[in-house]
Amino acid sequence: MSTLELFDLAVAGRGEGTVDTTVRLAERLVNSLVTEVQYLWDLFLSFDPEKEPKAEADLRTEFEGWAQRADAAMARVKRWGNQVHGFQELQHQHGRVGAMLSVTLEAALRARLQIREGRTHSREEVMRELHLGPFR
């Protein structure tokens, strides 16, 4: 039985008068997911993906699994969202992971090669191209 299934079981067994306990359980669930993804980010930043391509692919799989669990947890916890400390951080991390996963491994490798070869643009060039004016 997964952590989410155990959460469902615990919540289902509680009456309406135990909202505080349910919110505390929800907070612990949210906190565990935020802590887990922070550890995944630490791992992500601790190795060179060009030297360890298998580690990068394996870590991406871990992020995908985390995103699925976080999505399922957010669906369960959203009814108490404003009361659950850390819920917004979980939503933020879920979006951050989703953005990272939207970039393929191949695209990330191409970008790293472009940077290494000096094929980049300065902030000023990008701002001028987008007609955004000077950065302040």
Side-chain angles (χ1 to χ4, degrees):
M1 192 174 286
S2 74
T3 304
L4 290 171
E5 291 168 328
L6 290 168
F7 176 80
D8 290 341
L9 188 62
V11 170
R14 303 202 173 278
E16 285 299 316
T18 59
V19 172
D20 288 344
T21 304
T22 302
V23 168
R24 280 198 302 276
L25 285 172
E27 285 177 349
R28 297 295 299 259
L29 176 62
V30 165
N31 185 50
S32 70
L33 286 163
V34 169
T35 299
E36 180 183 0
V37 78
Q38 288 170 338
Y39 178 67
L40 290 175
W41 283 115
D42 287 346
L43 289 172
F44 182 78
L45 297 172
S46 71
F47 68 90
D48 181 349
E50 291 181 37
K51 293 180 182 174
E52 302 284 346
K54 181 173 178 356
E56 183 177 26
D58 290 345
L59 190 53
R60 186 179 187 87
T61 301
E62 290 295 318
F63 273 114
E64 288 168 350
W66 179 88
Q68 290 173 354
R69 290 189 305 280
D71 193 45
M74 287 187 305
R76 287 164 169 84
V77 173
K78 69 181 173 186
R79 72 181 98 157
W80 307 288
N82 292 336
Q83 298 173 15
V84 177
H85 179 73
F87 186 67
Q88 288 182 338
E89 177 64 19
L90 179 61
Q91 290 175 310
H92 168 74
Q93 291 295 340
H94 187 264
R96 183 179 179 205
V97 168
M100 184 269 294
L101 291 174
S102 72
V103 177
T104 66
L105 290 173
E106 295 78 18
L109 177 60
R110 277 194 312 273
R112 286 192 297 269
L113 290 173
Q114 288 174 342
I115 291 168
R116 190 174 333 122
E117 293 169 358
R119 294 186 289 144
T120 61
H121 300 282
S122 71
R123 176 180 47 189
E124 290 79 15
E125 289 175 291
V126 172
M127 306 248 334
R128 187 174 48 250
E129 184 68 25
L130 297 174
H131 307 286
L132 294 177
F135 183 74
R136 295 171 201 220

